[in-house]
Each structure stands twice: as structure tokens, then as C-alpha cells.
């Protein structure tokens, strides 16, 4: 019998969907070891591993075991953290360690620092290997090992879990700008100073990223609360108006290059990421916000209109149009007008009671007012409805009065307006 592993030799399953379809078609239930070997062979990331485990009914424990072993085998960041080799360049290690401290240790919250590096695949562009390290466990020696990874990135903000998701961000550590294609970095810094950009808000740090610059505005104790994040996003967008050449990026899970790491691209050679400007500026959201965003002015609250009641002494008296809910009042007056014409003498009596009480309810907001006037209208009919018939119409109005909306065309059809003469129709409001 051919083993599961040998069965797929020579086949290309860089897409997990193809691998799942293959096993399902062959009616094979792969083991944990087989899935693990496939994940290593095709360098699947955590999302793809989860997709495979779900497809074949593996437990959460199996998923974590497979993911951890795969990452230890092929994730270059995991290999560097778990390895023994480390960078001997003290200046670069100090710069990277300070960069991490400046970003992630200005807040007192617990969380994880997520690192990343490019992952070359056949199916996806701009894919990243990721690796999360708890703040409580990261050390300078670990950073020295991490710097052996080329093109190393660090997430600007701290994550609550190991996941790189906006909803999991626990602390917003800095506002940032990513500007590409800056050849003369020091000249760019001097240009910004001369143009007065630093007078608006001075950067905490500017890093030469190899292909451009990364600008940071450090924040202190800016926890990612639901009401604070939208305001931080407004500040971030306002920064782009000061630096229009920057990429329009403002997401909370952005990766930027780690100070002291290497920029390694075949077309541009190897460069070292390094700081070109640094100040002691650390902002609170309350300090930096007013510098960039206009103060929030709440919209004036509209005064709630008072309920207008029909005159009890003369329920059919004309109510001026400027009163509250003029359209509903007009429609109620139209029904009164139709009643005076005798439009409800022989037919349409229930419709008259229903729509009259409906429009009175909407105009006054009072069901008792609508009920009282409906009975008065019924008593004026040539052949009044029975009490139970009126009660049935009022029950519908009370239950659905503010739910149903009737267009003018619908009302004309239901009330048979087309049966009126042209002169009579001109009397309607």
C-alpha cells in the first residue's frame, strides 16, 4: 500500500485548497504527522495550517503542536530565537534594543511584541513570517540573535495575544510615517526643519530604513480603548497632511523595520537600518491631538418638538400647517374632508377609521387622542361601525402605527380617490 506521504510526491500543492481536495477525492484521512510534513514541505503559515486542521477534524491541541513544529522548522525568526548564534555588533544590538524599549515599554500593559520578515511564496506576494515574543521574556541577548534575520521588521504596537490583528492591539505605542524613495536622508531631515514641519510637531525618532525613512512620534500610555482609537486615527491622518509624501498608512498592526537590522534587496544591495534624528519627545494623546486635529465641537442638540393635540371642542377644526408633523395632519384633514363629501357613507368605513386614527396617532403621539377622535368620526358616519369593528382597527394602529408607511399613491388606491370628481379632488390637501 502506498503511504500518504509518497502518494503526493511530485505533485504541487502550494495551495491548501488543492491539497484538501486531493485527500478528499482519494478518500484518505491524513495523520497529524502527514499534515505536519506537508506544512513543512510547502511552508504553510498559521492560517493555512488552521485551514488544514479544520478540514480534517484535528483538535486545537493538534493544531498548536503542528504550528509550533512547523514554525521551529522553517520560520527564520523562530530559528534565530531558538538558535545560539548572535550578532556581535554592539552598536547595532544597542540600537535595536533601545528601539524596542522606546516602543513597547512606555506602557505598563502586558502583551506581545510581534516580529516579521518577508516570506517568499509562489501564491502570495508581500507575505510575512511572524513570530510573537512576550514583553516579559524578551532580552537583549534574544535581540542579538534576532538581528541575524535579514529584512527584520517589528510591529509598532503591542498585541494582547500572539495574533497580529487590529482587535488584539492593547497599546498604541507611536504614531508613524513611512516615506519611500528618500535618497538623501540627512538632507530630507534638514528640509523638514527648514519648512517648519518640526514646529508643528517634532518627531521622536527618524530612522533610515534603507529605501526611505520611518518617522515615529512616541506615545505614552495610549491604551487601545474603543473610544480612543478613532481619535488616534484622526491624528494619524492629520500627520499625512504635514508629510504629504508619506504613504497613506494608519493601521494599528503595521510592521516597520527594526533599528539596527539589515535592508537586503538584490537590486539595491545590503544596507543597515539606523537612526538619523532623535529627540526626547514623548507625547500623550491629549498633547499631540490638539496640535494636529481641530477640537471636537459637538453638534447642537435639536429641541424635541412638543406634542400638538387636536382641539377637543372642535375635532374637525383646521390645524395650521406649521404645526408639528404637518403631513400626517394634512392626511387626517383629507379624511375629514372625504367624510364631509359622504365618501364613507356606504363603503370604505373601516379604512376611514383605520387611516384616520393612524394619522392622528402619528401627528399627536397619543393613542388615547387617536382612539377618542376615531370614535367621534365613527359616530358622524351615516352608518357607524360596531364598537368591536372600531376596536379591531385601533388594535392594528396601536400595534403597527409607527411601522407601516403609506405613500400618497397607496393611499389614493386604498381610499378610491379616483372615484372623486376633479373638483372634489382639488379640495384635498
Amino acid at each position: 500500500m502506498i503511504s500518504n506521504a509518497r502518494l503526493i510526491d511530485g505533485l504541487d500543492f502550494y495551495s491548501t485548497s488543492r491539497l484538501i481536495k486531493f485527500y478528499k477525492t482519494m478518500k484518505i484521512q491524513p495523520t497529524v504527522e502527514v499534515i505536519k510534513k506537508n506544512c513543512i514541505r510547502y511552508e504553510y503559515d498559521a492560517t493555512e495550517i488552521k485551514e488544514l486542521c479544520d478540514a480534517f477534524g484535528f483538535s486545537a491541541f493538534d493544531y498548536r503542536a503542528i504550528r509550533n513544529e512547523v514554525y521551529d522548522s522553517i520560520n527564520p525568526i523562530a530559528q534565530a530565537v531558538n538558535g545560539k548564534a548572535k550578532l556581535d555588533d554592539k552598536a547595532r544590538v544597542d540600537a535595536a534594543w533601545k528601539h524596542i524599549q522606546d516602543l513597547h515599554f512606555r506602557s505598563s500593559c502586558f502583551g506581545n511584541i510581534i516580529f516579521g520578515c518577508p516570506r517568499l511564496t509562489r501564491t502570495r506576494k508581500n507575505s510575512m513570517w511572524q513570530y510573537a515574543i512576550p514583553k516579559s521574556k524578551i532580552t537583549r541577548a534574544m535581540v542579538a540573535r534576532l538581528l541575524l534575520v535579514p529584512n527584520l521588521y517589528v510591529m509598532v504596537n503591542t498585541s494582547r495575544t500572539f495574533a497580529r490583528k487590529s482587535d488584539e492591539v492593547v497599546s498604541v505605542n507611536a504614531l508613524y510615517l513611512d516615506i519611500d524613495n528618500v535618497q538623501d536622508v540627512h538632507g530630507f531631515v534638514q528640509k523638514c526643519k527648514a519648512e517648519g514641519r518640526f514646529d508643528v510637531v517634532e518627531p521622536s525618532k527618524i530612522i533610515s530604513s534603507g529605501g526611505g525613512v520611518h518617522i515615529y512620534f512616541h506615545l505614552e500610555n495610549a491604551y487601545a480603548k474603543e473610544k480612543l482609537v478613532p481619535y488616534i486615527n484622526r491624528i494619524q491622518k492629520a500627520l499625512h497632511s504635514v508629510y504629504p509624501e508619506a504613504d497613506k498608512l494608519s493601521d494599528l498592526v503595521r510592521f516597520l523595520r527594526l533599528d539596527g537590522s539589515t535592508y537586503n534587496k538584490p537590486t539595491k544591495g545590503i544596507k543597515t537600518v539606523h537612526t538619523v534624528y532623535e529627540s526626547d519627545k514623548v507625547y500623550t494623546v491629549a498633547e499631540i491631538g490638539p496640535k494636529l486635529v481641530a477640537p471636537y465641537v459637538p453638534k447642537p442638540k435639536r429641541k424635541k418638538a412638543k406634542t400638538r393635540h387636536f382641539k377637543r371642542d372642535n375635532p374637525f377644526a383646521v390645524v395650521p400647517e406649521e404645526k408639528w408633523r404637518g403631513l400626517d395632519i394634512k392626511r387626517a384633514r383629507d379624511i375629514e374632508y372625504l367624510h364631509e363629501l359622504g365618501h364613507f357613507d356606504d363603503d370604505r368605513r373601516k379604512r376611514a377609521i383605520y387611516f384616520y386614527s393612524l394619522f392622528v396617532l402619528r401627528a399627536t403621539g397619543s393613542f388615547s387622542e387617536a382612539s377618542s377622535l376615531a370614535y367621534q368620526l365613527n359616530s358622524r358616519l351615516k352608518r357607524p361601525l360596531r364598537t368591536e369593528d372600531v376596536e379591531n382597527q385601533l388594535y392594528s394602529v396601536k400595534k403597527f402605527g409607527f411601522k407601516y408607511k403609506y405613500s400618497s399613491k397607496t393611499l389614493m388606491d386604498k381610499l378610491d380617490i379616483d372615484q372623486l370628481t376633479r373638483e372634489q379632488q382639488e379640495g384635498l390637501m
Side-chain angles (χ1 to χ4, degrees), residues 29-239:
Q29 174 63 31
T31 63
V32 171
E33 288 300 320
V34 169
I35 291 296
K36 189 186 302 179
K37 289 179 181 178
N38 289 332
C39 292
I40 293 173
R41 177 179 181 178
Y42 298 114
E43 297 188 353
Y44 290 145
D45 61 16
T47 303
E48 294 166 323
I49 296 170
K50 185 70 165 62
E51 183 181 355
L52 285 172
C53 291
D54 290 343
F56 297 110
F58 293 149
S59 65
F61 175 81
D62 291 332
Y63 159 70
R64 287 192 294 270
I66 295 171
R67 181 198 63 191
N68 293 342
E69 189 162 340
V70 170
Y71 268 42
D72 289 343
S73 300
I74 59 178
N75 187 337
I77 304 176
Q79 292 175 341
V81 170
N82 297 325
K84 294 182 179 179
K86 61 181 181 179
L87 184 69
D88 292 330
D89 190 330
K90 182 178 182 300
R92 285 175 57 191
V93 175
D94 287 343
W97 181 240
K98 184 177 186 304
H99 189 184
I100 292 171
Q101 294 286 320
D102 287 344
L103 285 179
H104 293 275
F105 287 87
R106 293 190 185 277
S107 64
S108 57
C109 63
F110 295 98
N112 298 279
I113 306 169
I114 301 181
F115 296 89
C117 68
R119 170 176 175 257
L120 301 178
T121 69
R122 295 185 186 182
T123 58
R124 290 190 295 174
K125 296 181 180 180
N126 300 325
S127 180
M128 300 284 287
W129 284 116
Q130 299 177 27
Y131 193 85
I133 302 174
K135 284 173 58 176
S136 58
K137 293 185 178 180
I138 194 165
T139 62
R140 187 180 181 280
M142 191 180 295
V143 172
R145 296 196 294 271
L146 282 169
L147 288 175
L148 294 176
V149 179
N151 295 312
L152 184 65
Y153 293 79
V154 63
M155 196 170 99
V156 175
N157 299 318
T158 308
S159 176
R160 182 180 290 103
T161 65
F162 293 137
R164 183 174 169 238
K165 298 179 181 179
S166 297
D167 293 342
E168 299 298 340
V169 170
V170 66
S171 174
V172 183
N173 301 324
L175 302 170
Y176 63 86
L177 295 167
D178 184 2
I179 304 176
D180 296 327
N181 301 319
V182 178
Q183 303 300 326
D184 183 6
V185 177
H186 292 282
F188 173 78
V189 173
Q190 295 304 318
K191 174 188 173 185
C192 292
K193 285 184 178 179
E195 292 176 350
R197 300 190 195 187
F198 286 16
D199 296 334
V200 179
V201 55
E202 185 177 0
S204 304
K205 180 179 287 189
I206 301 178
I207 291 179
S208 174
S209 63
V213 295
H214 295 159
I215 305 178
Y216 294 89
F217 303 85
H218 291 150
L219 299 178
E220 188 172 31
N221 288 328
Y223 303 110
K225 297 179 181 178
E226 183 179 355
K227 293 183 178 180
L228 184 62
V229 169
Y231 183 54
I232 292 176
N233 288 336
R234 290 175 62 202
I235 301 172
Q236 180 77 60
K237 291 178 181 178
L239 276 171

Side-chain angles (χ1 to χ4, degrees), residues 202-309:
E202 185 177 0
S204 304
K205 180 179 287 189
I206 301 178
I207 291 179
S208 174
S209 63
V213 295
H214 295 159
I215 305 178
Y216 294 89
F217 303 85
H218 291 150
L219 299 178
E220 188 172 31
N221 288 328
Y223 303 110
K225 297 179 181 178
E226 183 179 355
K227 293 183 178 180
L228 184 62
V229 169
Y231 183 54
I232 292 176
N233 288 336
R234 290 175 62 202
I235 301 172
Q236 180 77 60
K237 291 178 181 178
L239 276 171
H240 289 113
S241 63
V242 181
Y243 294 84
E245 59 271 74
D247 293 340
K248 299 300 185 289
L249 306 172
S250 60
D251 57 289
L252 297 178
V253 293
R254 177 60 48 183
F255 272 145
L256 295 179
R257 291 183 182 271
L258 181 65
D259 194 2
S261 64
T262 55
Y263 171 95
N264 190 351
K265 289 192 176 180
T267 58
K268 297 183 179 180
I270 300 176
K271 302 177 183 178
T272 300
V273 178
H274 61 282
T275 299
V276 295
Y277 178 85
E278 190 169 15
S279 70
D280 58 355
K281 293 292 185 180
V282 180
Y283 300 94
T284 64
V285 176
E287 291 172 344
I288 197 170
K291 295 177 182 290
L292 297 162
V293 179
Y296 172 70
V297 179
K299 294 181 180 179
K301 293 184 178 180
R302 296 176 60 185
K303 293 183 178 180
K304 186 177 179 181
K306 295 182 179 180
T307 302
R308 304 290 184 179
H309 293 278

